Amino acid sequence: MYTHMNTHTAARGKRILAMAISLLLLLGVACSSDGAGLPVEKFMDSTAGYQYPGLPWASSQEDTAKVIPMEEKGDSYGGGQIVYPARQQFTLDGQTASGEAEFFKDKLGSLEFKFVLGSDDSEWYEARVEDLTKLYGDPEERSETAVGNGEKYTWRKGDTQLQLYSVPSAKKLTVSIKLLSTAVIGQ
């Protein structure tokens, strides 16, 4: 009887352990699928201007992929411009964005993070305007976008920019946060 009870207890313990491991793995997958947090509070480097943390302007595609995993193939445009989509999603205050890196003559020139929201999520956008203004001061420029009644805010430091813009439609609001180097783009 003692042996039977010990075997039964051991089997029960193994099942509990297996369930606990499965639960931890499931939670790990769920947490990792949310995407990387977008570090907007770290977009300013005191010497380099606006840039993604740990990713200097004019980086190669290979060096950029070490910081932001990207697809192996990008879309080519005239003048040596290639855009690579990020293989990961980015999150900011409960919303998820896709990302892309744009290279000019094989040098990183811009990064864009695009959020597609519901048409009634304008409060989220307004909160981003407030957050970026608190972090980086008043934008140097505010303009209406060509499409619809969207708007664009631009912060500048040297030859770098941080842009926040919105493009509304009847069913959605597209919000983009873009970092760019005019020195790389203008080469």
Side-chain angles (χ1 to χ4, degrees):
M1 173 147 180
Y2 180 72
T3 306
H4 174 68
M5 184 181 270
N6 217 6
T7 305
H8 179 64
T9 304
R12 183 174 173 213
K14 287 180 182 178
R15 282 192 301 264
I16 291 172
L17 181 61
M19 286 175 35
I21 290 171
S22 296
L23 180 61
L24 288 173
L25 289 172
L26 182 61
L27 286 173
V29 168
C31 291
S32 66
S33 66
D34 285 345
L38 191 60
V40 294
E41 70 283 353
K42 297 178 182 176
F43 281 172
M44 171 58 79
D45 180 290
S46 60
T47 57
Y50 293 105
Q51 69 180 37
Y52 194 88
L55 191 54
W57 292 117
S59 292
S60 68
Q61 191 267 337
E62 293 79 22
D63 288 341
T64 302
K66 292 175 186 173
V67 178
I68 299 176
M70 298 179 303
E71 297 294 333
E72 291 182 26
K73 291 189 177 185
D75 294 324
S76 296
Y77 298 94
Q81 180 184 354
I82 302 175
V83 176
Y84 291 92
R87 284 194 322 232
Q88 69 184 39
Q89 296 287 304
F90 299 86
T91 59
L92 181 61
D93 196 24
Q95 296 292 342
T96 303
S98 60
E100 63 182 28
E102 189 172 18
F103 293 84
F104 297 81
K105 298 180 183 173
D106 298 322
K107 295 177 183 177
L108 178 65
S110 75
L111 293 166
E112 184 171 1
F113 306 95
K114 193 176 290 186
F115 300 85
V116 179
L117 312 172
S119 59
D120 58 343
D121 286 332
S122 62
E123 287 179 17
W124 185 90
Y125 170 72
E126 293 301 325
R128 302 298 65 79
V129 173
E130 288 179 28
D131 291 347
L132 292 174
T133 301
K134 285 178 188 174
L135 287 166
Y136 304 118
D138 289 329
E140 281 75 19
E141 182 181 330
R142 182 193 176 277
S143 59
E144 299 291 321
T145 60
V147 179
N149 53 354
E151 57 190 4
K152 178 169 113 179
Y153 292 89
T154 303
W155 290 262
R156 291 184 178 87
K157 175 150 188 202
D159 58 2
T160 65
Q161 295 181 16
L162 167 63
Q163 298 176 346
L164 172 70
Y165 53 97
S166 67
V167 179
S169 72
K171 295 182 182 180
K172 66 182 179 179
L173 174 65
T174 303
V175 175
S176 291
I177 297 175
K178 187 171 188 173
L179 297 162
L180 60 97
S181 167
T182 56
V184 174
I185 294 172
Q187 290 182 348

